[in-house]
Amino acid sequence: RYIKNQRVLSVAEQKMKELAYDLQELNEQDMGSSKMAKIRHVAKGTPLTTEMAKVLLDKVNGDEQKAMKLAVSLGYEIPSEEIYGRRK
């Protein structure tokens, strides 16, 4: 029973992360590209969308390591490949 509950919790947690990512995407669409270009701190754990990742990557001249460090320092959480991969 414990293992079954853990699986249910794991699935629920994954769905919550997917929903948070989707909501962040919608929020960024509402913001528009000019507001997104202004780099600012976000609530810790905010999912890093592919669009914001591109913005941060541009800010650090294409250096992926610097972009990831910047994202984390701003409060972003880097989603799993599974969440990014849902969009392909």
Side-chain angles (χ1 to χ4, degrees), residues 25-63:
E25 276 189 325
L26 290 171
N27 185 40
E28 289 174 1
Q29 287 172 8
D30 285 345
M31 268 195 259
S33 57
S34 61
K35 269 192 174 180
M36 279 184 64
K38 295 177 184 173
I39 304 301
R40 63 184 190 284
H41 287 272
V42 295
K44 188 173 181 173
T46 298
L48 179 68
T49 64
T50 53
E51 286 305 309
M52 183 52 79
K54 290 176 189 175
V55 169
L56 296 178
L57 199 55
D58 285 345
K59 292 288 182 185
V60 294
N61 299 316
D63 186 322

Side-chain angles (χ1 to χ4, degrees), residues 13-30:
E13 184 177 298
Q14 179 67 19
K15 292 295 180 189
M16 286 183 358
K17 287 182 178 186
E18 290 173 6
L19 179 59
Y21 184 91
D22 293 345
L23 290 171
Q24 184 62 22
E25 276 189 325
L26 290 171
N27 185 40
E28 289 174 1
Q29 287 172 8
D30 285 345

